[in-house]
Amino acid sequence: MILVALGSRNPNKVRGTELAFRIAGLRANVVSIEPPGDLSPEPIGLDEIINGAIRRARYAIGIVRNAEFGVGIEAGIIRVKGFEEGVDVTIAAIIDGSGKVTLGFSPGFMVPRKFMNEVVRGVELNDVVSRYYGEPNIGRKYGLIGTLTRRFIDRIVLNTEAVYMALIPRMPWNTELFRG
């Protein structure tokens, strides 16, 4: 059994991490911890999303004793020139005891312009979406993707895909390709 430290207490991220390791054929005990307190509430831009995921992973592996991997999952918005809408993407970072980091991305989807207008003013996307749909804390449930797809796809799916993609370089048949 592999001990995995996850830098989040969000149930969608916990479940997504458990599923990704299971799909990869790895038996994992996922221990979730509170992430560092100084993360951006709504990361905007690829660098900020990736750095948030890495910080979460690094922090988690440093806190959970004997963890073989630290996992950080960060969702955020990428602004695309020429579009008023943003693209929401989930990025996972996995770090091991040697400090090697691997990354994985979920599929991205467009954030409605009416939501982006508030996000660029500093309002967290979860708050905007929860207010619009009249349901508190949608981000800890199925997320904006769940509302837009009528729950065909939810946050667990995006988190699972991002973590699994970050595991690809660590698969036994791929380690030679990704070595030093």
Side-chain angles (χ1 to χ4, degrees), residues 58 94-101 170:
R58 227 178 236 132
I94 299 176
I95 189 167
D96 60 28
S98 74
K100 179 181 178 175
V101 175
R170 300 177 183 280

Side-chain angles (χ1 to χ4, degrees), residues 4-26:
V4 176
L6 173 65
S8 177
R9 291 219 188 261
N10 185 314
N12 292 311
K13 293 180 180 183
V14 173
R15 187 73 180 125
T17 301
E18 290 169 344
L19 285 170
F21 275 81
R22 184 179 321 136
I23 292 166
L26 303 169

Side-chain angles (χ1 to χ4, degrees), residues 92-114:
I94 299 176
I95 189 167
D96 60 28
S98 74
K100 179 181 178 175
V101 175
T102 53
L103 299 174
F105 289 57
S106 73
F109 63 95
M110 292 180 77
V111 177
R113 184 177 309 160
K114 68 176 2 176

Side-chain angles (χ1 to χ4, degrees), residues 46-162:
L46 194 56
D47 288 344
E48 193 171 341
I49 302 166
I50 290 171
N51 288 330
I54 293 171
R55 286 200 55 235
R56 286 171 179 269
R58 227 178 236 132
Y59 183 78
I61 199 170
I63 296 290
V64 177
R65 189 173 167 179
N66 298 321
E68 291 182 52
F69 296 109
V71 175
I73 302 171
E74 192 72 81
I77 299 171
I78 299 171
R79 303 290 310 269
V80 180
K81 190 175 181 173
F83 287 85
E84 290 185 43
E85 299 87 358
V87 176
D88 188 292
V89 66
T90 299
I91 299 175
I94 299 176
I95 189 167
D96 60 28
S98 74
K100 179 181 178 175
V101 175
T102 53
L103 299 174
F105 289 57
S106 73
F109 63 95
M110 292 180 77
V111 177
R113 184 177 309 160
K114 68 176 2 176
F115 296 166
M116 280 302 298
N117 291 338
E118 291 191 61
V119 170
V120 296
R121 288 195 306 266
V123 182
E124 190 174 345
L125 182 60
N126 178 61
D127 296 339
V128 176
V129 174
S130 292
R131 188 174 352 100
Y132 181 82
Y133 287 100
E135 187 174 339
N137 243 348
I138 283 179
R140 292 186 72 84
K141 300 173 188 168
Y142 41 84
L144 173 58
I145 189 63
T147 64
L148 295 175
T149 64
R150 295 187 173 175
R151 303 206 189 139
F152 177 70
I153 297 172
D154 63 19
R155 288 198 73 194
I156 293 172
V157 171
L158 298 181
N159 292 324
T160 302
E161 290 175 342

